[in-house]
Amino acid sequence: MMKNGALQKSKQWNVRRAVWLAAVFHFLHSCGSSCLLPFLTLYFRHLGLSASMIGIIMASKHLLALVWRPLSSFLTRQYDKRRTVIVGSLLSSALVVLTLLLFPSTGIQAESGRCNTSQPHADPTTILEWTTDPSQSNTTVYSINQTSVSTEPPVEVTTLVSSNWSARGLRSLKKPRQEEDPHTEFLGSLKVMDAQHQMFFLVLIVMGVWEFMAAPLEWTADDGLYEYLDFVDATDHHNGVKVWKQLGAAFGNCAAGVLVTSLFCLAGTTVEFYSYTIFMILTVPTAALLPIYLRKRERPTSTGLKALQLVYGNSQAILCAVTVILMGMVNSAVSDFLLWHMQDCGATEIHMGISLALAHLSQASFAPIAGHLSRFLKYHGWLLVLAVVSLALQCLYYSFLWGPWAVIPAQLLAGFSTGALWWSISSQSEDIATPGTEKTIIKLFEVLSLELGATFGSLAAGFVVQKFGLRVLFQGTAVILALWSSAVALLKWKIPRQRRINYSRLLATDTEMSESESDQEKDWLETAMEDTMDNNKWTINKS
């Protein structure tokens, strides 16, 4: 595209306004998502679901996104319905998620001691949950923190972890109701199941519908903005929007933590759901103004298949793909059950929200130092090793938590785990990309980590927590990552680095240099060929 033409289009298309609107959109959307998504597994625990059930639910959510997000992005592009899909996704997901509030808890509340603890007597008006202990006839047991108060001498009980407390609550709640009226089941079509499995299938259905509504939004909005900027030759502004996602997530985590902790005795954890709905609705006006380039259907895209071929044909890229899948598994396990562990250590939502916000801020602050760190290591591939080692240290630290604020040092390492991972992946994508495929390759790595890896991670983590406990989960993931970091370091050293030379990019660079420095006579092709002869490990791809 001619530069004069690009300048003319830039005057007609306000790039600065477009980037500003996109930043506001992603900030608000990240705020809403972070008010609820990190705390979902805690809410499912409150509903009485076991760790394995929660693992299956979260794995199903990631699996649906794995299939539906790329497909919906393709369909909305082909039929030019991006804005309609974005607005519809915001409104429908905001409403569907409120359905989860209709489900009553089927187990003992783990947080029942947070309100009215100044009255430790057996008064039903001061206790949130009470049950009849089936092992002791006519003995009513009230849950206050970690002790039992009953008509008999008090008996100390263990911390309410995973499905142990859920199962006891279910048995005690279910049996008296069956004796009174065997026909009053929670759901007629599921009456052969107990209350816990009824709740599991209902939550699974609602989560599936919610993910179906919410999944298309992020890719659709991102693709529309990228093509808008690409049309006016301003794609270098696209990365500037990403930091606002991190800042929005940090703000949403803090806001949810403060609000839930302050209003817990009045509204409980429902504040998280209403905050999500409010932020999604607030995002709608910016979605209506969001800059989206409606590309006419002049050519069907096959960049996804091309990206797969490029990754498959490069040994370093295959190593990166395996690593991001493993990192996605571990990150999913951590996000699903870290807050469980913090809750067992006495943390409330304000502790959780601040710790999650620090992780996002750490990731946002990594970008300014990433370039210097990559040059210091002399090869971006070593950032991948650094990311695996950092996550291993985080998981090991998580297994030894002792108090509500103890998690903060590990959260500050998120910049070196998640931040270094995606910086390394972005650099690897540049090494193997041909013109027009770089963004698709990065999306491929995102799908492998955030969806495929997360699916396996959530599923495995649920069963590990159910059978062995939270500490074993974190210690086991730390050991696996430590072993894999050694393997990655060895393979990075052994596998020759292959890099494609993008001559189109070199030509554009040479054109700019020739305009500013007319006395420079060295030809760009000669420079590229000299560099190629010096490093015979590079693969030349004329494009």
Side-chain angles (χ1 to χ4, degrees):
M1 183 179 297
M2 298 295 294
K3 178 164 282 190
N4 292 335
L7 291 174
Q8 184 177 0
K9 289 174 182 175
S10 297
K11 293 179 182 179
Q12 297 173 355
W13 297 46
N14 193 330
V15 175
R16 181 174 298 179
R17 177 178 177 271
V19 173
W20 182 82
L21 282 172
V24 173
F25 172 85
H26 286 293
F27 181 86
L28 292 175
H29 179 255
S30 295
C31 281
S33 299
S34 299
C35 282
L36 178 60
L37 290 179
F39 304 97
L40 266 180
T41 55
L42 280 181
Y43 183 74
F44 295 155
R45 190 187 201 188
H46 157 73
L47 290 180
L49 300 181
S50 65
S52 59
M53 290 178 173
I54 293 174
I56 293 173
I57 291 172
M58 300 306 291
S60 302
K61 174 181 178 295
H62 294 303
L63 183 61
L64 179 60
L66 173 67
V67 177
W68 178 233
R69 182 171 286 129
L71 180 59
S72 61
S73 177
F74 172 78
L75 293 175
T76 54
R77 183 185 188 279
Q78 287 298 104
Y79 293 98
D80 288 344
K81 298 295 183 181
R82 282 175 171 160
R83 196 179 306 279
T84 302
V85 170
I86 292 171
V87 174
S89 177
L90 288 170
L91 294 176
S92 58
S93 61
L95 297 176
V96 169
V97 74
L98 296 179
T99 309
L100 291 172
L101 297 178
L102 302 177
F103 302 151
S105 174
T106 61
I108 303 174
Q109 279 192 352
E111 295 293 313
S112 58
R114 290 172 60 177
C115 301
N116 299 323
T117 56
S118 60
Q119 302 178 16
H121 302 291
D123 183 2
T125 62
T126 62
I127 307 297
L128 293 180
E129 290 288 337
W130 65 273
T131 60
T132 301
D133 192 339
S135 63
Q136 303 177 20
S137 58
N138 301 323
T139 302
T140 303
V141 180
Y142 301 89
S143 175
I144 301 179
N145 283 339
Q146 296 181 2
T147 59
S148 297
V149 179
S150 66
T151 55
E152 295 183 356
V155 179
E156 193 76 17
V157 296
T158 59
T159 304
L160 304 177
V161 180
S162 73
S163 64
N164 294 332
W165 59 269
S166 301
R168 289 197 298 269
L170 287 170
R171 287 194 296 267
S172 58
L173 285 170
K174 187 68 178 175
K175 289 183 179 180
R177 293 180 181 176
Q178 287 180 340
E179 292 173 1
E180 293 175 2
D181 187 359
H183 301 290
T184 57
E185 297 294 337
F186 184 70
L187 189 65
S189 60
L190 302 175
K191 62 183 179 181
V192 295
M193 302 180 184
D194 57 33
Q196 189 182 38
H197 285 84
Q198 291 175 357
M199 183 66 66
F200 166 69
F201 281 105
L202 287 173
V203 171
L204 185 63
I205 293 171
V206 173
M207 287 296 294
V209 175
W210 181 33
E211 186 64 25
F212 183 83
M213 299 296 181
L217 189 146
E218 190 168 355
W219 276 25
T220 302
D222 189 65
D223 289 345
L225 174 65
Y226 185 84
E227 291 188 4
Y228 177 97
L229 296 175
D230 182 54
F231 185 73
V232 294
D233 293 338
T235 53
D236 53 318
H237 292 82
H238 184 260
N239 288 333
V241 177
K242 294 181 180 179
V243 67
W244 290 101
K245 297 181 182 180
Q246 299 291 346
L247 296 178
F251 181 84
N253 291 148
C254 281
V258 171
L259 288 175
V260 173
T261 303
S262 303
L263 304 175
F264 183 82
C265 295
L266 295 176
T269 57
T270 60
V271 176
E272 298 163 356
F273 291 84
Y274 291 123
S275 299
Y276 174 86
T277 299
I278 290 172
F279 272 111
M280 292 300 106
I281 295 176
L282 289 177
T283 311
V284 171
T286 60
L289 300 174
L290 195 66
I292 295 177
Y293 174 57
L294 300 179
R295 185 184 296 274
K296 296 180 180 180
R297 288 170 281 179
E298 62 264 10
R299 69 179 192 274
T301 59
S302 59
T303 53
L305 181 59
K306 180 65 175 176
L308 281 172
Q309 293 173 345
L310 291 172
V311 172
Y312 181 76
N314 187 283
S315 300
Q316 292 280 0
I318 292 175
L319 181 61
C320 286
V322 176
T323 302
V324 297
I325 291 175
L326 180 61
M327 294 281 281
M329 292 175 64
V330 175
N331 280 320
S332 178
V334 170
S335 64
D336 287 348
F337 294 104
L338 175 61
L339 299 191
W340 278 39
H341 196 27
M342 291 181 65
Q343 187 180 66
D344 295 337
C345 293
T348 59
E349 282 77 8
I350 192 170
H351 303 102
M352 301 171 189
I354 292 175
S355 64
L356 292 172
L358 287 176
H360 289 293
L361 293 176
S362 176
Q363 295 175 38
S365 63
F366 181 79
I369 67 172
H372 300 288
L373 185 59
S374 181
R375 286 190 294 270
F376 174 77
L377 296 174
K378 297 183 179 180
Y379 174 40
H380 63 76
W382 298 117
L383 284 177
L384 191 67
V385 180
L386 177 63
V388 179
V389 171
S390 299
L391 187 55
L393 292 176
Q394 281 183 279
C395 292
L396 183 62
Y397 186 92
Y398 291 149
S399 67
F400 296 106
L401 294 185
W402 63 91
W405 295 111
V407 73
I408 288 180
Q411 295 297 88
L412 296 177
L413 279 175
F416 291 96
S417 57
T418 306
L421 172 68
W422 291 111
W423 185 272
S424 177
I425 294 303
S426 178
S427 300
Q428 180 64 52
S429 300
E430 292 179 0
D431 284 354
I432 67 175
T434 58
T437 62
E438 181 179 333
K439 187 170 182 291
T440 307
I441 292 173
I442 294 177
K443 279 191 173 183
L444 174 61
F445 282 120
E446 288 179 354
V447 167
L448 291 176
S449 177
L450 304 179
E451 309 304 347
L452 181 62
T455 299
F456 294 123
S458 294
L459 190 63
F463 286 100
V464 170
V465 173
Q466 180 84 14
K467 189 171 181 62
F468 302 104
L470 292 165
R471 294 186 184 275
V472 173
L473 171 68
F474 294 119
Q475 291 171 359
T477 53
V479 171
I480 293 172
L481 288 173
L483 295 175
W484 181 248
S485 65
S486 302
V488 171
L490 180 62
L491 292 172
K492 282 287 182 183
W493 180 59
K494 289 289 186 181
I495 298 175
R497 183 186 178 191
Q498 296 177 327
R499 181 178 180 182
R500 294 180 178 270
I501 298 178
N502 193 327
Y503 285 105
S504 299
R505 186 177 301 169
L506 287 175
L507 179 60
T509 303
D510 182 74
T511 302
E512 294 177 359
M513 292 178 62
S514 63
E515 290 178 354
S516 60
E517 301 178 7
S518 58
D519 58 341
Q520 184 175 356
E521 299 178 355
K522 195 169 186 179
D523 186 71
W524 63 269
L525 183 57
E526 293 178 1
T527 303
M529 294 301 295
E530 289 174 3
D531 293 340
T532 303
M533 294 174 65
D534 292 338
N535 187 359
N536 56 11
K537 295 180 181 179
W538 286 18
T539 300
I540 301 176
N541 178 41
K542 294 184 179 181
S543 55

